[in-house]
Coordinates of all heavy atoms in Angstrom, one line a residue:
G1 N 137.7 -104.9 114.5 CA 138.0 -104.5 113.2 C 137.1 -103.5 112.6 O 136.6 -102.6 113.3
M2 N 136.8 -103.7 111.3 CA 136.0 -102.8 110.6 C 134.6 -102.7 111.1 O 134.0 -101.6 111.1 CB 136.0 -103.2 109.1 CG 137.4 -103.1 108.4 SD 137.8 -101.3 108.1 CE 137.0 -101.1 106.6
T3 N 134.0 -103.8 111.6 CA 132.7 -103.8 112.1 C 132.6 -102.9 113.3 O 131.6 -102.1 113.4 CB 132.2 -105.2 112.5 OG1 132.3 -106.0 111.3 CG2 130.8 -105.2 112.9
A4 N 133.5 -102.9 114.2 CA 133.5 -102.1 115.4 C 133.6 -100.6 115.0 O 132.9 -99.8 115.6 CB 134.6 -102.5 116.4
V5 N 134.5 -100.4 114.1 CA 134.7 -98.9 113.7 C 133.4 -98.4 112.9 O 133.0 -97.3 113.2 CB 135.9 -98.8 112.7 CG1 136.1 -97.4 112.2 CG2 137.2 -99.2 113.5
S6 N 132.8 -99.2 112.1 CA 131.6 -98.8 111.5 C 130.5 -98.5 112.5 O 129.7 -97.6 112.3 CB 131.2 -99.7 110.4 OG 130.6 -101.0 110.9
K7 N 130.4 -99.3 113.5 CA 129.4 -99.1 114.6 C 129.7 -97.8 115.3 O 128.8 -97.0 115.6 CB 129.4 -100.2 115.6 CG 128.3 -100.1 116.6 CD 128.2 -101.2 117.6 CE 127.2 -101.0 118.7 NZ 126.6 -99.7 119.0
M8 N 131.0 -97.5 115.6 CA 131.3 -96.2 116.2 C 130.9 -95.0 115.3 O 130.4 -94.0 115.8 CB 132.8 -96.2 116.5 CG 133.2 -97.0 117.7 SD 134.9 -96.8 118.2 CE 135.7 -97.9 117.1
V9 N 131.2 -95.1 114.0 CA 130.8 -94.1 113.1 C 129.3 -93.9 113.1 O 128.7 -92.8 113.2 CB 131.3 -94.4 111.7 CG1 130.7 -93.4 110.7 CG2 132.8 -94.3 111.7
K10 N 128.5 -95.0 113.0 CA 127.1 -95.0 113.0 C 126.6 -94.3 114.3 O 125.7 -93.4 114.3 CB 126.5 -96.4 112.9 CG 125.0 -96.4 113.0 CD 124.5 -97.8 113.0 CE 123.0 -97.8 113.2 NZ 122.5 -98.8 114.1
D11 N 127.1 -94.7 115.5 CA 126.7 -94.2 116.8 C 127.0 -92.6 116.8 O 126.2 -91.9 117.4 CB 127.4 -94.9 117.9 CG 127.0 -96.3 118.1 OD1 125.9 -96.7 117.6 OD2 127.7 -97.0 118.9
H12 N 128.1 -92.2 116.3 CA 128.4 -90.8 116.3 C 127.4 -90.0 115.4 O 126.9 -89.0 115.8 CB 129.8 -90.6 115.8 CG 130.1 -89.1 115.6 ND1 130.3 -88.3 116.7 CD2 130.2 -88.4 114.5 CE1 130.5 -87.0 116.2 NE2 130.4 -87.1 114.9
I13 N 127.1 -90.5 114.2 CA 126.2 -89.8 113.3 C 124.8 -89.8 114.0 O 124.1 -88.8 113.9 CB 126.1 -90.5 111.9 CG1 127.5 -90.5 111.3 CG2 125.1 -89.9 111.0 CD1 127.6 -91.4 110.0
E14 N 124.5 -90.9 114.6 CA 123.2 -90.9 115.3 C 123.1 -89.9 116.4 O 122.0 -89.2 116.6 CB 123.0 -92.3 115.9 CG 121.7 -93.0 115.7 CD 121.7 -94.4 116.1 OE1 122.0 -94.7 117.3 OE2 121.4 -95.2 115.3
S15 N 124.1 -89.7 117.2 CA 124.2 -88.7 118.2 C 124.0 -87.3 117.6 O 123.2 -86.5 118.2 CB 125.6 -88.8 119.0 OG 125.6 -87.8 119.9
V16 N 124.7 -87.0 116.6 CA 124.6 -85.7 115.9 C 123.2 -85.5 115.4 O 122.5 -84.4 115.6 CB 125.6 -85.5 114.8 CG1 125.4 -84.3 114.0 CG2 127.0 -85.6 115.3
G17 N 122.6 -86.5 114.8 CA 121.2 -86.5 114.3 C 120.2 -86.3 115.4 O 119.3 -85.5 115.3
N18 N 120.4 -87.0 116.5 CA 119.5 -86.8 117.7 C 119.5 -85.4 118.2 O 118.5 -84.9 118.5 CB 120.0 -87.7 118.8 CG 119.4 -89.2 118.6 OD1 118.4 -89.4 118.0 ND2 120.2 -90.1 119.2
D19 N 120.7 -84.8 118.2 CA 120.8 -83.4 118.7 C 120.0 -82.5 117.7 O 119.4 -81.6 118.2 CB 122.3 -82.9 118.8 CG 123.0 -83.6 119.9 OD1 122.4 -84.2 120.8 OD2 124.3 -83.6 119.9
L20 N 120.1 -82.7 116.4 CA 119.4 -81.9 115.5 C 117.8 -82.0 115.7 O 117.1 -81.1 115.8 CB 119.6 -82.3 114.1 CG 121.0 -81.8 113.5 CD1 121.2 -82.3 112.1 CD2 121.1 -80.3 113.5
V21 N 117.4 -83.3 115.9 CA 116.0 -83.6 116.1 C 115.5 -82.9 117.4 O 114.4 -82.3 117.4 CB 115.7 -85.1 116.1 CG1 114.3 -85.4 116.4 CG2 115.9 -85.6 114.6
K22 N 116.3 -83.1 118.5 CA 115.9 -82.6 119.8 C 115.7 -81.1 119.7 O 114.9 -80.5 120.4 CB 116.9 -83.0 120.8 CG 116.8 -84.5 121.2 CD 117.8 -84.8 122.2 CE 117.8 -86.3 122.5 NZ 119.0 -86.7 123.3
G23 N 116.6 -80.4 118.9 CA 116.6 -79.0 118.8 C 115.3 -78.5 118.0 O 114.9 -77.4 118.1
Q24 N 114.7 -79.4 117.3 CA 113.5 -79.1 116.5 C 112.2 -79.4 117.3 O 111.1 -78.8 116.9 CB 113.5 -79.8 115.2 CG 112.5 -79.3 114.2 CD 112.7 -77.9 113.7 OE1 113.8 -77.4 113.8 NE2 111.6 -77.3 113.3
I25 N 112.2 -80.2 118.2 CA 111.0 -80.6 119.0 C 110.3 -79.4 119.6 O 111.0 -78.6 120.3 CB 111.3 -81.7 120.0 CG1 111.7 -83.0 119.3 CG2 110.2 -82.0 120.9 CD1 112.2 -84.1 120.3
G26 N 109.0 -79.3 119.4 CA 108.3 -78.2 119.9 C 108.3 -77.0 119.1 O 107.5 -76.0 119.4
R27 N 109.1 -76.9 118.1 CA 109.2 -75.7 117.3 C 108.2 -75.8 116.1 O 108.0 -76.8 115.6 CB 110.6 -75.5 116.7 CG 111.7 -75.2 117.7 CD 113.0 -75.0 117.2 NE 112.9 -73.8 116.2 CZ 113.9 -73.4 115.5 NH1 115.1 -74.1 115.5 NH2 113.8 -72.4 114.6
T28 N 107.6 -74.7 115.8 CA 106.7 -74.6 114.7 C 107.3 -73.9 113.5 O 106.7 -73.8 112.4 CB 105.4 -74.0 115.0 OG1 105.6 -72.7 115.6 CG2 104.6 -74.8 116.1
D29 N 108.5 -73.3 113.7 CA 109.2 -72.6 112.7 C 110.5 -73.3 112.3 O 110.9 -74.3 113.0 CB 109.5 -71.1 113.1 CG 110.4 -71.1 114.3 OD1 110.5 -72.1 115.1 OD2 111.1 -70.0 114.5
G30 N 111.2 -72.8 111.4 CA 112.6 -73.3 111.0 C 112.6 -74.6 110.3 O 113.6 -75.3 110.3
G31 N 111.5 -75.0 109.7 CA 111.4 -76.3 109.0 C 112.4 -76.4 107.9 O 113.1 -77.4 107.7
D32 N 112.5 -75.3 107.1 CA 113.4 -75.3 105.9 C 114.9 -75.4 106.5 O 115.7 -76.1 105.9 CB 113.3 -74.0 105.1 CG 112.0 -74.0 104.3 OD1 111.4 -75.1 104.1 OD2 111.6 -72.9 103.9
E33 N 115.2 -74.6 107.6 CA 116.6 -74.7 108.1 C 116.9 -76.1 108.6 O 118.0 -76.6 108.4 CB 116.7 -73.7 109.3 CG 118.0 -73.7 110.0 CD 118.1 -72.7 111.1 OE1 117.2 -71.9 111.3 OE2 119.0 -72.9 112.0
F34 N 115.9 -76.7 109.3 CA 116.0 -78.1 109.8 C 116.3 -79.1 108.7 O 117.3 -79.9 108.8 CB 114.8 -78.5 110.6 CG 114.8 -79.9 111.1 CD1 115.7 -80.3 112.0 CD2 113.8 -80.8 110.6 CE1 115.8 -81.6 112.5 CE2 113.8 -82.1 111.1 CZ 114.8 -82.5 112.1
I35 N 115.6 -78.9 107.6 CA 115.8 -79.9 106.4 C 117.2 -79.6 105.9 O 117.9 -80.6 105.5 CB 114.7 -79.6 105.4 CG1 113.3 -80.0 105.9 CG2 115.0 -80.3 104.1 CD1 113.2 -81.5 106.2
N36 N 117.6 -78.3 105.8 CA 118.9 -78.0 105.2 C 120.0 -78.6 106.2 O 121.1 -79.1 105.7 CB 119.1 -76.5 105.1 CG 118.3 -76.0 103.9 OD1 118.0 -76.7 102.9 ND2 118.0 -74.7 104.0
Q37 N 119.8 -78.6 107.5 CA 120.7 -79.2 108.4 C 120.8 -80.7 108.2 O 121.9 -81.3 108.3 CB 120.4 -78.9 109.8 CG 120.6 -77.4 110.2 CD 120.0 -77.0 111.6 OE1 119.2 -77.8 112.1 NE2 120.5 -76.0 112.1
L38 N 119.7 -81.4 108.0 CA 119.7 -82.8 107.7 C 120.4 -83.1 106.5 O 121.2 -84.1 106.4 CB 118.2 -83.3 107.7 CG 117.4 -83.2 108.9 CD1 116.0 -83.7 108.7 CD2 118.0 -84.0 110.0
I39 N 120.2 -82.3 105.4 CA 120.9 -82.6 104.1 C 122.4 -82.4 104.3 O 123.2 -83.2 103.9 CB 120.4 -81.6 103.1 CG1 118.9 -82.0 102.7 CG2 121.3 -81.6 101.8 CD1 118.2 -80.9 101.8
A40 N 122.8 -81.4 105.1 CA 124.2 -81.1 105.3 C 124.8 -82.2 106.1 O 125.9 -82.7 105.9 CB 124.4 -79.8 106.1
L41 N 124.1 -82.7 107.1 CA 124.6 -83.9 107.9 C 124.8 -85.1 107.1 O 125.8 -85.7 107.1 CB 123.6 -84.2 109.0 CG 123.8 -85.4 109.9 CD1 125.0 -85.2 110.8 CD2 122.6 -85.8 110.6
H42 N 123.8 -85.4 106.2 CA 123.9 -86.6 105.3 C 125.1 -86.4 104.3 O 125.9 -87.3 104.2 CB 122.6 -86.8 104.6 CG 122.7 -88.1 103.8 ND1 123.2 -88.0 102.4 CD2 122.4 -89.3 104.0 CE1 123.1 -89.3 101.9 NE2 122.7 -90.1 102.9
T43 N 125.2 -85.2 103.8 CA 126.3 -85.0 102.8 C 127.6 -85.1 103.4 O 128.6 -85.7 102.9 CB 126.1 -83.6 102.2 OG1 124.8 -83.5 101.6 CG2 127.2 -83.2 101.2
K44 N 127.8 -84.5 104.6 CA 129.1 -84.6 105.3 C 129.5 -86.0 105.6 O 130.6 -86.4 105.3 CB 128.9 -83.9 106.7 CG 130.2 -84.0 107.6 CD 129.9 -83.2 108.9 CE 131.1 -83.4 109.8 NZ 130.9 -82.6 111.0
Y45 N 128.6 -86.8 106.1 CA 129.0 -88.2 106.4 C 129.0 -89.1 105.2 O 129.8 -90.1 105.2 CB 128.1 -88.8 107.6 CG 128.5 -88.0 108.9 CD1 127.7 -87.0 109.4 CD2 129.7 -88.3 109.4 CE1 128.1 -86.4 110.5 CE2 130.1 -87.6 110.6 CZ 129.3 -86.7 111.1 OH 129.7 -86.0 112.3
A46 N 128.2 -88.8 104.2 CA 128.3 -89.6 102.9 C 129.7 -89.4 102.3 O 130.3 -90.3 101.8 CB 127.2 -89.2 102.0
T47 N 130.2 -88.1 102.4 CA 131.5 -87.8 101.8 C 132.5 -88.5 102.7 O 133.5 -89.0 102.1 CB 131.7 -86.3 101.8 OG1 130.7 -85.7 101.0 CG2 133.1 -85.9 101.3
L48 N 132.4 -88.5 103.9 CA 133.4 -89.2 104.9 C 133.4 -90.7 104.5 O 134.5 -91.3 104.4 CB 133.0 -89.0 106.3 CG 133.8 -89.8 107.3 CD1 135.1 -89.0 107.6 CD2 133.1 -90.1 108.6
V49 N 132.3 -91.3 104.3 CA 132.3 -92.7 104.0 C 132.9 -93.0 102.6 O 133.7 -93.9 102.5 CB 130.8 -93.3 104.0 CG1 130.7 -94.6 103.3 CG2 130.2 -93.3 105.4
E50 N 132.6 -92.1 101.7 CA 133.2 -92.3 100.3 C 134.7 -92.1 100.3 O 135.5 -92.9 99.8 CB 132.5 -91.3 99.4 CG 133.1 -91.4 98.0 CD 132.4 -90.4 97.0 OE1 131.3 -89.9 97.3 OE2 133.1 -90.1 96.0
E51 N 135.2 -90.9 100.9 CA 136.6 -90.6 100.8 C 137.5 -91.2 101.8 O 138.6 -91.6 101.5 CB 136.7 -89.1 100.9 CG 136.1 -88.3 99.8 CD 136.2 -86.8 99.9 OE1 136.8 -86.3 100.9 OE2 135.7 -86.1 99.0
C52 N 137.0 -91.4 103.1 CA 137.9 -92.0 104.1 C 137.8 -93.5 104.2 O 138.7 -94.1 104.6 CB 137.6 -91.3 105.5 SG 137.9 -89.6 105.5
F53 N 136.6 -94.0 103.9 CA 136.4 -95.5 104.0 C 136.2 -96.1 102.7 O 135.7 -97.2 102.6 CB 135.2 -95.7 105.0 CG 135.5 -95.2 106.4 CD1 134.7 -94.1 106.8 CD2 136.4 -95.7 107.2 CE1 134.9 -93.6 108.1 CE2 136.6 -95.2 108.5 CZ 135.9 -94.2 108.9
Q54 N 136.6 -95.5 101.6 CA 136.5 -96.0 100.2 C 135.1 -96.6 99.9 O 135.1 -97.7 99.2 CB 137.6 -97.0 99.9 CG 139.0 -96.3 99.8 CD 139.6 -96.0 101.2 OE1 139.5 -96.8 102.1 NE2 140.2 -94.8 101.3
D55 N 134.1 -96.0 100.4 CA 132.7 -96.5 100.1 C 132.5 -98.0 100.6 O 131.8 -98.7 100.0 CB 132.3 -96.4 98.7 CG 131.5 -95.2 98.4 OD1 130.9 -94.6 99.4 OD2 131.3 -94.8 97.2
H56 N 133.3 -98.4 101.6 CA 133.2 -99.8 102.1 C 131.8 -100.1 102.5 O 131.0 -99.2 103.1 CB 134.1 -99.9 103.3 CG 134.3 -101.4 103.7 ND1 133.4 -102.1 104.5 CD2 135.4 -102.2 103.5 CE1 133.8 -103.3 104.7 NE2 135.0 -103.4 104.1
A57 N 131.3 -101.2 102.2 CA 129.9 -101.7 102.4 C 129.5 -101.5 103.9 O 128.3 -101.1 104.2 CB 129.7 -103.1 101.9
L58 N 130.3 -101.8 104.8 CA 130.0 -101.7 106.2 C 129.7 -100.3 106.6 O 128.7 -100.0 107.4 CB 131.1 -102.2 107.1 CG 131.3 -103.7 107.3 CD1 132.6 -104.0 108.1 CD2 130.1 -104.3 108.0
F59 N 130.4 -99.3 106.0 CA 130.2 -97.9 106.3 C 128.9 -97.4 105.6 O 128.2 -96.5 106.1 CB 131.4 -97.1 106.1 CG 132.5 -97.5 107.0 CD1 133.5 -98.4 106.7 CD2 132.6 -96.9 108.3 CE1 134.5 -98.8 107.6 CE2 133.6 -97.3 109.2 CZ 134.5 -98.3 108.8
Q60 N 128.8 -97.9 104.4 CA 127.5 -97.5 103.6 C 126.3 -97.9 104.4 O 125.3 -97.2 104.6 CB 127.5 -98.1 102.3 CG 128.5 -97.5 101.3 CD 128.5 -98.2 99.9 OE1 127.7 -99.1 99.7 NE2 129.3 -97.7 99.1
K61 N 126.3 -99.2 104.9 CA 125.2 -99.7 105.7 C 125.0 -98.9 107.0 O 123.9 -98.6 107.4 CB 125.5 -101.2 106.0 CG 124.4 -101.8 106.8 CD 124.8 -103.3 107.1 CE 123.6 -103.9 108.0 NZ 124.0 -105.2 108.5
A62 N 126.1 -98.6 107.7 CA 126.0 -97.8 108.9 C 125.3 -96.5 108.6 O 124.4 -96.1 109.4 CB 127.4 -97.5 109.5
L63 N 125.7 -95.8 107.5 CA 125.1 -94.5 107.2 C 123.6 -94.6 106.9 O 122.8 -93.9 107.3 CB 125.8 -93.9 106.0 CG 125.3 -92.5 105.6 CD1 125.5 -91.5 106.7 CD2 126.1 -92.1 104.3
K64 N 123.2 -95.7 106.2 CA 121.8 -96.0 105.8 C 121.0 -96.3 107.0 O 119.8 -96.0 107.0 CB 121.7 -97.1 104.8 CG 122.2 -96.6 103.4 CD 122.2 -97.8 102.5 CE 122.8 -97.4 101.1 NZ 122.7 -98.5 100.2
E65 N 121.6 -96.9 108.1 CA 120.8 -97.4 109.2 C 120.8 -96.4 110.4 O 120.2 -96.6 111.4 CB 121.4 -98.7 109.7 CG 121.2 -99.8 108.8 CD 121.8 -101.1 109.3 OE1 122.6 -101.1 110.3 OE2 121.6 -102.1 108.7
V66 N 121.3 -95.2 110.2 CA 121.3 -94.2 111.2 C 120.0 -93.8 111.7 O 119.0 -93.6 110.9 CB 122.1 -92.9 110.8 CG1 121.9 -91.8 111.7 CG2 123.5 -93.2 110.6
R67 N 119.8 -93.9 113.1 CA 118.5 -93.5 113.7 C 118.9 -92.2 114.5 O 120.0 -92.0 114.9 CB 118.0 -94.5 114.6 CG 117.8 -95.8 114.0 CD 116.4 -95.8 113.4 NE 116.1 -97.2 112.9 CZ 115.4 -97.3 111.8 NH1 115.1 -96.3 111.0 NH2 115.1 -98.5 111.3
P68 N 118.0 -91.3 114.7 CA 116.6 -91.3 114.6 C 116.1 -91.0 113.2 O 115.0 -90.8 112.9 CB 116.1 -90.3 115.6 CG 117.1 -89.3 115.6 CD 118.4 -90.1 115.4
L69 N 117.1 -90.7 112.3 CA 116.6 -90.3 111.0 C 117.2 -91.1 109.9 O 118.3 -91.7 110.0 CB 117.0 -88.8 110.7 CG 118.3 -88.3 111.2 CD1 119.2 -87.9 110.1 CD2 117.9 -87.1 112.0
Q70 N 116.4 -91.3 108.9 CA 116.9 -92.0 107.6 C 116.7 -91.0 106.5 O 115.6 -90.5 106.3 CB 116.1 -93.3 107.4 CG 116.4 -94.3 108.4 CD 115.6 -95.6 108.2 OE1 114.6 -95.6 107.4 NE2 116.0 -96.7 108.7
L71 N 117.8 -90.8 105.8 CA 117.7 -89.9 104.7 C 117.9 -90.6 103.4 O 118.8 -91.5 103.3 CB 118.8 -88.8 104.8 CG 118.9 -88.0 106.1 CD1 120.1 -87.1 106.1 CD2 117.6 -87.2 106.2
Q72 N 117.1 -90.3 102.4 CA 117.3 -90.9 101.1 C 117.4 -89.7 100.2 O 116.5 -89.0 99.9 CB 116.1 -91.7 100.7 CG 115.9 -92.9 101.7 CD 114.6 -93.7 101.4 OE1 113.9 -93.4 100.5 NE2 114.4 -94.7 102.2
L73 N 118.7 -89.5 99.7 CA 119.0 -88.3 98.9 C 119.6 -88.7 97.6 O 120.4 -89.6 97.5 CB 120.0 -87.4 99.6 CG 119.6 -86.9 101.0 CD1 120.8 -86.2 101.6 CD2 118.5 -85.9 100.8
P74 N 119.4 -88.0 96.5 CA 118.1 -87.5 96.2 C 117.3 -88.5 95.4 O 118.0 -89.4 94.8 CB 118.4 -86.3 95.3 CG 119.7 -86.7 94.6 CD 120.4 -87.6 95.6
Y75 N 116.1 -88.5 95.3 CA 115.3 -89.4 94.5 C 114.3 -88.5 93.8 O 113.4 -88.0 94.4 CB 114.6 -90.5 95.3 CG 113.8 -91.4 94.4 CD1 114.5 -92.4 93.7 CD2 112.5 -91.4 94.3 CE1 113.9 -93.3 92.9 CE2 111.8 -92.3 93.6 CZ 112.5 -93.2 92.8 OH 111.8 -94.1 92.0
A76 N 114.4 -88.4 92.5 CA 113.5 -87.6 91.7 C 113.4 -86.2 92.2 O 112.3 -85.6 92.2 CB 112.1 -88.3 91.6
G77 N 114.5 -85.7 92.6 CA 114.6 -84.3 93.1 C 113.9 -84.1 94.4 O 113.6 -83.0 94.8
C78 N 113.6 -85.2 95.2 CA 112.9 -85.0 96.4 C 113.8 -85.4 97.6 O 114.7 -86.2 97.4 CB 111.7 -85.9 96.5 SG 110.5 -85.6 95.2
L79 N 113.5 -84.9 98.7 CA 114.1 -85.4 100.0 C 113.1 -86.2 100.7 O 112.0 -85.6 101.0 CB 114.6 -84.1 100.8 CG 115.1 -84.4 102.2 CD1 116.3 -85.3 102.1 CD2 115.3 -83.1 103.0
D80 N 113.5 -87.4 101.1 CA 112.6 -88.2 101.9 C 113.1 -88.4 103.3 O 114.2 -89.0 103.4 CB 112.4 -89.5 101.2 CG 111.4 -90.4 101.9 OD1 110.6 -89.9 102.7 OD2 111.3 -91.6 101.5
V81 N 112.6 -87.7 104.3 CA 113.1 -87.8 105.6 C 112.1 -88.5 106.5 O 110.9 -88.1 106.5 CB 113.4 -86.4 106.2 CG1 113.9 -86.4 107.6 CG2 114.3 -85.6 105.3
H82 N 112.5 -89.5 107.2 CA 111.6 -90.2 108.1 C 112.2 -90.1 109.5 O 113.3 -90.5 109.8 CB 111.6 -91.7 107.8 CG 111.1 -92.0 106.4 ND1 109.8 -92.0 106.1 CD2 111.8 -92.3 105.3 CE1 109.7 -92.3 104.8 NE2 110.9 -92.5 104.3
L83 N 111.4 -89.5 110.4 CA 111.8 -89.4 111.8 C 111.2 -90.5 112.5 O 110.0 -90.7 112.4 CB 111.4 -88.1 112.4 CG 112.0 -86.8 111.7 CD1 111.3 -85.6 112.4 CD2 113.5 -86.8 111.8
T84 N 111.9 -91.3 113.2 CA 111.4 -92.4 113.9 C 110.8 -91.9 115.3 O 111.0 -90.8 115.7 CB 112.5 -93.4 114.3 OG1 113.5 -92.8 115.2 CG2 113.2 -93.9 113.0
Q85 N 110.0 -92.8 115.9 CA 109.4 -92.5 117.1 C 110.4 -92.2 118.3 O 110.1 -91.4 119.1 CB 108.5 -93.6 117.6 CG 107.3 -93.8 116.7 CD 106.3 -94.9 117.1 OE1 106.7 -95.7 117.9 NE2 105.2 -94.9 116.6
E86 N 111.5 -92.7 118.2 CA 112.5 -92.5 119.3 C 112.9 -91.0 119.3 O 113.2 -90.4 120.3 CB 113.8 -93.2 119.1 CG 113.7 -94.7 119.1 CD 113.7 -95.3 117.6 OE1 114.6 -95.0 116.9 OE2 112.8 -96.0 117.3
A87 N 112.8 -90.3 118.1 CA 113.1 -88.9 118.0 C 112.2 -88.0 118.9 O 112.6 -86.9 119.3 CB 113.1 -88.4 116.6
A88 N 111.0 -88.5 119.0 CA 110.0 -87.7 119.8 C 110.2 -87.9 121.3 O 109.5 -87.1 122.1 CB 108.6 -88.0 119.4
L89 N 111.0 -88.8 121.7 CA 111.0 -89.1 123.2 C 112.0 -88.1 123.8 O 112.9 -87.5 123.4 CB 111.6 -90.5 123.4 CG 110.6 -91.6 122.8 CD1 111.3 -92.9 123.1 CD2 109.3 -91.5 123.5

């Protein structure tokens, strides 16, 4: 049911996020572009959760638990991005 679908959505977002992180590993430039890509990723899937899944709690939770990155947007005008250790592997 819904739990299985929310897990598939989470796994997909995680895959896309992993690809972004892997593309940044070893680079010393492009930090602003990388942050903008993370914001765009979060915005895209937050909109999907809101519009397609009516902000259902399972899908909100899936979006919040995405690894390797967790995005908290926005809080006091800041972007808080945490890259987990898995991202460096």
